[in-house]
Amino acid sequence: MQAIKMLTLSLAAGLLSINLAHADVCADIRAINAQAQSHFDGWKKEGADRTYASNFMLDGADSCSIGGNSNSYSCVWKFATPVDLGRAYAKMVGEIKACPPLEKEAPGIVNDKPDDKTQGDLRRQLEVTGFDYGDAQALVMIGSMQLTGGKTGVSRNELKFSFVKSSGRH
């Protein structure tokens, strides 16, 4: 038990060093899955257009929200550099891969090929990894987006975590 606590503390310290602090992403996913059963009613703040700000924030996130038919929860982190974003993305994907199943089956993992699009002097690089928890009727997506260029010198480095619960039985 002491070894597990030390490992958890070590992981948390490592996450803090890359500006993305998850005390326990596996526990976060379990909490999100549990709240999804009630359509996140306990986490909703005021909102418009069927999107609600969430009063439950994942550690270090710039924003978290509940959207759709109240069957999805997402958070966004913003980073100063593409290197910081890349580290955070790899760290989060690795942590989620190490999580136990939500129910009985391990998730199917979908690694989308990185997508690099350019339009004029605007460039967008996108990478997504998905975790399909079929027996729990849930999907977790982690996305990394870099946006650079444009006439106004746009630069964004964002990491997005999304959890979607199937609108089937809850």
Side-chain angles (χ1 to χ4, degrees):
M1 193 63 152
Q2 185 65 19
I4 292 173
K5 286 182 183 177
M6 293 298 286
L7 179 60
T8 301
L9 289 173
S10 174
L11 285 173
L15 286 170
L16 285 171
S17 71
I18 61 170
N19 195 26
L20 177 63
H22 287 286
D24 186 346
V25 74
C26 301
D28 289 343
I29 291 173
R30 290 192 176 292
I32 294 165
N33 188 51
Q35 270 297 315
Q37 307 304 318
S38 66
H39 300 281
F40 302 101
D41 287 340
W43 291 357
K44 289 179 187 172
K45 290 183 178 180
E46 292 295 318
D49 298 324
R50 298 176 59 112
T51 299
Y52 302 89
S54 176
N55 60 20
F56 178 78
M57 300 283 289
L58 295 184
D59 291 340
D62 290 287
S63 64
C64 293
S65 61
I66 298 159
N69 293 328
S70 294
N71 66 343
S72 66
Y73 173 86
S74 62
C75 294
V76 174
W77 292 260
K78 297 178 181 176
F79 295 90
T81 69
V83 171
D84 291 339
L85 171 61
R87 286 183 189 141
Y89 176 77
K91 188 78 157 169
M92 184 176 279
V93 168
E95 285 182 345
I96 294 173
K97 281 182 180 177
C99 289
L102 283 176
E103 291 192 8
K104 294 180 182 179
E105 297 176 18
I109 300 174
V110 178
N111 289 312
D112 197 6
K113 294 179 185 174
D115 182 36
D116 194 348
K117 292 194 180 204
T118 304
Q119 182 176 359
D121 60 350
L122 186 64
R123 180 177 182 199
R124 185 198 74 190
Q125 294 173 284
L126 181 68
E127 186 170 358
V128 177
T129 299
F131 299 85
D132 185 357
Y133 295 90
D135 63 343
Q137 297 181 331
L139 178 67
V140 172
M141 302 288 286
I142 309 302
S144 164
M145 184 189 72
Q146 297 174 39
L147 187 62
T148 55
K151 294 180 182 180
T152 60
V154 171
S155 178
R156 289 188 2 213
N157 301 294
E158 295 181 350
L159 177 70
K160 185 171 184 178
F161 168 96
S162 297
F163 178 99
V164 179
K165 190 74 168 179
S166 169
S167 59
R169 64 180 176 125
H170 286 267

